[in-house]
């Protein structure tokens, strides 16, 4: 099969679920392709309102119009079709595609939907566009409501059509398959595939469930009360509040959207109380119909409840119309719903053969690593040999959101610490699923006494009594660190709420420094647009000695190598080579000599200024014979002051993604989070901690 510069994804029929395939292929290519583009032949309106463009540009940070674009708007396309100018339409699309293609290594195209073309033309149109682009076609068929025999028959009819039209095929994706039919479909299809892979994707019902926000958008409803972030709650069921309250409450199920007239104060207050009560299922939201707002007395009750999380919406439609329309809304994968994105990507990764697709696409490994490639590599490595990570801050919202993504993607097994009822309630309020996670409360845990004894034995020489130890291990950071020490977990991630000292002090006291290391230190992975650099130490050691500086350098080089970055170490100073004098320069010079003595295998240069370390032109002038100057990947700062200032300056001025601090030199991995850490930062740090645990080997 010839190489193609683009992949064209399209549905063979309405509601095939091509978005899940789009995300899976984009995720796969983003690990391999440096300049990845995205293109749509036809969009309904301006690019800012196209749902697929918003999703892809948001997740993969593709610039418009350099690496993301479209051919023509739907209005203009319909005019050309109506005028029998289909060739002109195709030429316009190909012309716009060429402008994107020229600046990309690979372009992923998402075909038109069936509602965008006259009946009967959508499939042929998408095949023609794919063929004229020279793209590999990735058709998506639906198995919903069909027998295995019908699915296989339709699949081969579609493949025959593509062959007749001389369109090269990457693979056929059969989506929305009843889980119990997957093996039968594969068994019938495998002997007849003629080399074209067929991937079967079982129906993932959760993706089709609408959120409160999607129903609100369809009905033109507005938020009257509640947390706007709760718009991402999934609607599991819809109930019309028309009965008397006792009968209505008996019919509530988990995730119910309650639709009721705005003057039904009993249903409104009853639903709100049911959501707050542990004895009733969670309510996803309330939709008040008829354009009516609750009476002032009810308004007063809402005003007196501290930030109720239940979204209460108001709509002009009457109850029957609102209920009918709400039941017809189908969920979509949107950029503002990261849990559905993670769910879709995890589902694709579970059910497709990634290596088979790589071979079909025939992608060479890129010379440079982009931030997205690096982040995806982290996830893939963590998934390859799952480890158990403990998250002490189990009631923090960002931790909970990150935990759900980690579980959905299969990155690691998790234990969350904190009051289990509070964690469940918080997760329910946020509409999150923590299925598969362990929840432990240090205060009531059966491990508390044993952990207290262990800590007492470790620290009795420091005057820690048994009672002090028992009290201390109720703290989530100490309890989590003892889990790692006692081989109940492989690593720990904390710091979203607590300061660095709260995370690291227990680690230093309980886990300790790895043999052969004089100290623990830290690095940041600085993800620039076309490469990933390692900065150390920017978080732990304020004034390292010469010997400690050398240890930080060797540790950082080993960390870089462990994460696929070739270590070329720059020992930074305000002077380059032999030009400078003074105690600060001599410390760096002596540390460089020590690194060369201890690790002759490492490429190291120092003292060296930052510009000479990163800029080949400056390096040719200042250190023309150096193998590191101008090409450094690991940057060792002389002290914490310089390191912390520089990493934040680079992060802000170069728009770099800073992942860390990553702690190195401990016997078992413990990593600290910035208190401003995003959900993505937390997911990345969990993946890094899992990889560090893999490097340490099995728990003792």
């Amino acid at each position: 099969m010839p190489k193609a510069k683009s992949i064209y994804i399209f549905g063979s029929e309405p509601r095939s679920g091509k978005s899940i395939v789009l995300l899976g292929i984009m995720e796969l290519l983003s690990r391999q392709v440096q300049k990845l583009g995205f293109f749509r032949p036809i969009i309904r309106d301006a690019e800012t309102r196209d749902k697929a463009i918003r999703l892809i540009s948001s997740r993969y940070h593709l610039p418009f119009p350099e690496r993301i674009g479209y051919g023509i708007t739907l209005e203009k396309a319909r005019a050309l079709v109506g005028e029998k100018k289909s060739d002109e339409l195709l030429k316009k699309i190909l012309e716009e595609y060429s402008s994107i293609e020229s600046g990309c290594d690979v372009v992923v195209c998402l075909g038109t939907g069936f509602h965008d073309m006259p009946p009967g033309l959508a499939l042929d149109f998408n095949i023609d566009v794919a063929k004229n682009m020279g793209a590999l076609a990735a058709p998506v068929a639906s198995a919903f409501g069909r027998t295995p025999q019908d699915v296989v028959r339709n699949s081969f009819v579609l493949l025959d059509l593509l062959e007749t039209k001389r369109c090269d095929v990457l693979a056929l994706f059969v989506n929305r398959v009843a889980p119990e039919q997957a093996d039968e479909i594969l068994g019938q299809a495998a002997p007849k595939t003629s080399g074209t892979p067929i991937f079967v994707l079982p129906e993932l019902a959760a993706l089709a469930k609408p959120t409160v926000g999607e129903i609100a958008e369809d009905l033109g409803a507005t938020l009257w009360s509640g947390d706007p972030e709760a718009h991402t709650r999934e609607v599991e069921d819809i109930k019309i509040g028309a009965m008397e309250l006792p009968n209505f409450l008996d019919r509530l199920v988990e995730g119910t959207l309650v639709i009721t007239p705005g003057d039904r104060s009993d249903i409104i207050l009853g639903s709100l109380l049911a959501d707050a009560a542990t004895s009733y299922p969670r309510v996803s939201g309330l939709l008040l119909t008829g354009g009516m707002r609750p009476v002032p007395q009810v308004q007063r009750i809402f005003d007196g409840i501290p930030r109720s999380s239940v979204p209460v919406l108001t709509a002009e439609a009457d109850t029957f119309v609102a209920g009918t329309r709400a039941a017809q809304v189908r969920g979509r994968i949107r950029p503002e719903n990261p849990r559905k994105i993670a769910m879709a990507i995890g589902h694709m990764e579970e059910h497709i053969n990634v290596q088979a697709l790589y071979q079909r696409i025939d992608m060479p490994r890129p010379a440079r690593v982009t931030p997205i490639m690096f982040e995806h590599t982290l996830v893939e490595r963590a998934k390859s040999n799952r480890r158990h990570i403990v998250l002490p801050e189990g009631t923090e919202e960002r931790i909970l959101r990150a935990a759900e993504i980690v579980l959905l993607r299969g990155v690691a097994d998790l234990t969350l610490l904190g009051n289990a009822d509070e964690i469940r309630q918080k997760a329910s309020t946020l509409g999150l699923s923590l299925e598969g996670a362990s929840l432990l409360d240090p205060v009531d845990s059966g491990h508390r006494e044993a952990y207290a004894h262990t800590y007492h034995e470790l620290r009795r020489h420091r005057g820690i009594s048994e009672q002090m130890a028992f009290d201390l291990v109720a703290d989530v950071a100490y309890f989590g660190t003892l889990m790692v020490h006692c081989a109940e977990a492989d690593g720990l991630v904390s710091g979203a709420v607590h300061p660095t000292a709260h995370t690291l002090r227990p680690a230093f006291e309980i886990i300790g420094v790895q043999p052969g290391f004089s100290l623990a230190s830290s690095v940041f992975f600085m993800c620039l647009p076309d490469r990933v650099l390692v900065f150390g130490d920017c978080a732990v050691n304020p004034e390292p000695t010469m010997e400690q500086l050398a240890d930080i350098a060797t540790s950082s080089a080993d960390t870089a190598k462990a994460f696929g970055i070739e270590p070329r170490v720059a020992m930074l100073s305000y002077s380059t080579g032999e030009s400078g004098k003074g105690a600060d320069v001599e410390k760096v010079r002596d540390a460089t000599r020590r690194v060369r003595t201890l690790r002759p295998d490492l490429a190291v240069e120092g003292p060296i200024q930052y510009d000479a370390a990163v800029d080949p032109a400056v390096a040719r002038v200042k250190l023309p014979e150096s193998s590191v100057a101008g090409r450094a990947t690991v940057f060792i700062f002389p002290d914490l002051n310089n390191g912390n200032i520089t990493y934040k300056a680079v992060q802000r001025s170069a728009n770099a993604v800073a992942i860390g601090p990553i702690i190195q030199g401990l016997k078992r991995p413990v990593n600290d989070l910035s208190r401003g850490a995003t959900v993505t930062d937390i997911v990345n740090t969990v993946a890094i901690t899992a990889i560090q645990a893999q490097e340490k080997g099995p728990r003792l």
Side-chain angles (χ1 to χ4, degrees):
M1 186 175 65
K3 288 186 181 181
K5 197 170 179 180
S6 61
I7 295 170
Y8 194 95
I9 302 164
F10 62 95
S12 66
E13 57 196 294
R15 293 195 169 183
S16 58
K18 58 185 183 293
S19 293
I20 188 173
V21 176
L22 168 65
L23 272 175
I25 288 179
M26 285 293 297
E27 202 77 5
L28 180 150
L29 290 175
S30 64
R31 303 168 197 159
Q32 294 283 95
V33 177
Q34 197 167 23
K35 293 182 179 179
L36 182 60
F38 179 67
F39 183 80
R40 295 215 67 191
I42 297 175
I43 65 170
R44 287 194 167 194
D45 204 339
E47 68 279 357
T48 54
R49 296 179 60 184
D50 184 84
K51 292 181 175 64
I53 288 179
R54 284 203 310 114
L55 174 65
I56 297 303
S57 61
S58 171
R59 177 162 180 81
Y60 300 101
H61 313 296
L62 302 184
F64 188 94
E66 293 86 359
R67 305 223 323 255
I68 193 166
Y70 65 94
I72 193 170
T73 62
L74 179 59
E75 182 181 0
K76 293 178 180 178
R78 284 176 171 168
L80 289 173
V81 171
E83 296 170 8
K84 309 295 185 183
K85 295 180 179 178
S86 296
D87 287 346
E88 189 174 329
L89 170 61
L90 186 57
K91 288 177 183 177
K92 172 64 176 173
I93 290 170
L94 294 177
E95 179 184 329
E96 296 297 331
Y97 165 73
S98 297
S99 66
I100 296 291
E101 179 196 38
S102 60
C104 299
D105 298 325
V106 176
V107 180
V108 175
C109 306
L110 182 67
T112 64
F114 279 72
H115 50 267
D116 294 335
M117 299 296 292
L121 293 182
L123 180 58
D124 285 340
F125 174 79
N126 280 313
I127 294 174
D128 286 343
V129 175
K131 180 178 68 175
N132 282 279
M133 285 180 175
L136 290 174
V140 184
S142 173
F144 184 75
R146 296 191 173 120
T147 66
Q149 294 76 17
D150 287 340
V151 172
V152 173
R153 186 184 311 112
N154 291 347
S155 296
F156 285 104
V157 168
L158 177 58
L159 290 176
D160 287 345
L161 175 63
L162 288 160
E163 184 177 357
T164 301
K165 288 182 171 284
R166 301 184 182 277
C167 189
D168 293 316
V169 180
L170 170 66
L172 171 62
F173 298 86
V174 182
N175 195 17
R176 306 192 66 192
V177 174
E180 67 275 10
Q181 295 180 350
D183 290 341
E184 185 177 351
I185 290 171
L186 280 174
Q188 290 187 32
K192 310 173 187 177
T193 55
S194 303
T196 300
I198 295 181
F199 297 114
V200 170
L201 302 172
E203 172 83 333
L204 194 58
L207 288 179
K209 291 174 183 173
T211 63
V212 172
E214 286 170 328
I215 291 176
E217 181 183 327
D218 185 84
L219 287 168
T222 57
L223 184 67
W224 178 75
S225 175
D227 189 347
E229 291 190 3
H231 271 210
T232 59
R233 286 184 174 191
E234 286 173 5
V235 175
E236 305 280 346
D237 191 23
I238 294 173
K239 287 285 189 293
I240 304 296
M243 297 179 178
E244 290 290 332
L245 181 62
N247 293 324
F248 173 75
L249 289 175
D250 286 342
R251 286 162 173 77
L252 283 179
V253 297
E254 185 70 19
T256 296
L257 174 67
V258 177
I259 300 179
T260 192
D263 60 356
R264 283 297 301 270
S265 300
D266 57 336
I267 297 293
I268 295 169
L269 293 177
S271 299
L272 186 68
L273 289 171
D275 182 80
T278 57
S279 52
Y280 272 92
R282 177 182 63 90
V283 173
S284 63
L286 283 131
L287 177 61
L288 310 184
T289 60
M292 293 181 287
R293 277 39 173 186
V295 295
Q297 293 88 341
V298 172
Q299 170 78 62
R300 185 177 173 185
I301 290 174
F302 271 87
D303 292 342
I305 298 174
R307 200 187 176 206
S308 169
S309 61
V310 179
V312 182
L313 309 166
T314 60
E316 296 299 319
D318 64 36
T319 305
F320 176 78
V321 171
T324 302
R325 286 178 56 181
Q328 295 171 345
V329 176
R330 183 176 170 83
R332 292 180 176 271
I333 303 171
R334 296 171 179 250
E336 56 270 19
N337 196 335
R339 67 189 304 266
K340 277 196 175 182
I341 294 173
M343 199 182 299
I345 291 170
H347 192 62
M348 275 286 286
E349 290 171 341
E350 181 181 354
H351 294 287
I352 65 172
N353 185 330
V354 172
Q355 290 307 314
L357 282 184
Y358 275 141
Q359 291 169 8
R360 299 280 289 180
I361 301 168
D362 196 15
M363 286 285 111
R365 187 71 186 169
R368 289 182 178 268
V369 177
T370 67
I372 289 177
M373 291 178 190
F374 183 69
E375 290 183 24
H376 289 309
T377 300
L378 294 179
V379 169
E380 289 305 303
R381 286 189 59 187
K383 289 171 60 176
S384 69
N385 187 2
R386 280 171 65 160
R387 288 293 189 259
H388 187 157
I389 307 301
V390 58
L391 303 175
E393 298 159 326
T395 57
E396 159 63 25
E397 178 177 332
R398 288 166 294 158
I399 293 291
L400 290 171
R401 292 188 185 279
E404 183 187 49
I405 291 172
V406 166
L407 294 167
L408 287 171
R409 297 290 306 276
V411 175
D413 298 322
L414 296 178
T415 291
L416 283 79
L417 300 185
N419 182 280
D421 289 338
E422 185 180 351
I423 293 172
R424 291 190 189 97
Q425 180 62 34
K426 190 73 175 284
S428 177
T429 296
L430 296 170
L432 306 176
S433 170
L434 298 178
E435 184 179 354
S438 297
L439 308 181
L440 271 180
D441 186 349
V443 175
D444 298 326
S445 170
H447 295 280
R448 183 177 177 182
E449 192 168 330
Y451 284 172
H453 176 73
T454 299
Y455 182 70
H456 175 247
E457 291 298 314
L458 288 170
R459 303 295 292 175
R460 65 193 306 172
H461 67 286
R462 292 285 190 176
I464 298 295
S465 67
E466 292 185 13
Q467 184 59 48
M468 290 170 66
F470 187 78
D471 292 340
L472 266 175
V473 300
D475 180 277
V476 289
Y478 277 90
F479 189 93
T481 305
L482 282 158
M483 285 184 67
V484 177
H485 175 74
C486 296
E488 299 292 336
D490 296 298
L492 176 145
V493 174
S494 187
V497 178
H498 298 104
T500 296
H502 191 262
T503 300
L504 296 187
R505 185 183 296 112
F508 294 152
E509 292 179 1
I510 297 166
I511 293 175
V513 176
Q514 190 173 338
F517 287 75
S518 64
L519 79 171
S521 58
S522 73
V523 295
F524 279 88
F525 291 113
M526 302 300 296
C527 300
L528 299 169
D530 63 345
R531 53 189 162 161
V532 178
L533 306 177
V534 176
F535 282 13
D537 178 359
C538 304
V540 177
N541 297 287
E543 292 283 350
T545 65
M546 180 275 288
E547 293 81 5
Q548 290 173 335
L549 199 60
D551 278 3
I552 291 169
T554 56
S555 296
S556 301
D558 289 341
T559 297
K561 189 173 183 180
F563 287 91
I565 300 167
E566 182 182 350
R568 294 187 290 271
V569 183
M571 307 290 287
L572 296 173
S573 176
Y574 61 77
S575 173
T576 294
E578 301 298 326
S579 63
K581 303 296 180 185
D584 291 339
V585 178
E586 289 304 320
K587 183 176 81 167
V588 175
R589 187 173 286 124
D590 291 343
T592 304
R593 293 193 189 103
R594 182 175 175 83
V595 172
R596 287 172 176 156
T597 300
L598 294 173
R599 294 288 300 275
D601 58 305
L602 288 179
V604 59
E605 188 65 68
I608 185 172
Q609 291 162 291
Y610 190 89
D611 60 347
V614 298
D615 190 329
V618 176
R620 283 193 292 271
V621 174
K622 293 188 175 183
L623 286 173
E625 304 300 321
S626 174
S627 62
V628 173
R631 303 172 60 240
T633 56
V634 179
F635 297 78
I636 306 303
F637 295 91
D639 54 50
L640 183 60
N641 187 50
N642 282 287
N644 196 271
I645 290 171
T646 305
Y647 107 75
K648 288 185 177 178
V650 172
Q651 180 186 29
R652 300 300 179 186
S653 60
N655 198 27
V657 176
I659 301 176
I662 306 305
I663 309 302
Q664 52 194 14
L666 293 172
K667 292 177 185 175
R668 287 287 164 185
V670 170
N671 282 311
D672 182 41
L673 296 165
S674 162
R675 274 175 281 178
T678 65
V679 171
T680 300
D681 294 335
I682 297 167
V683 172
N684 287 337
T685 305
V686 169
I688 286 172
T689 308
I691 294 168
Q692 287 179 310
Q694 293 170 359
E695 296 288 320
K696 300 286 186 184
R699 287 179 244 164
L700 300 177

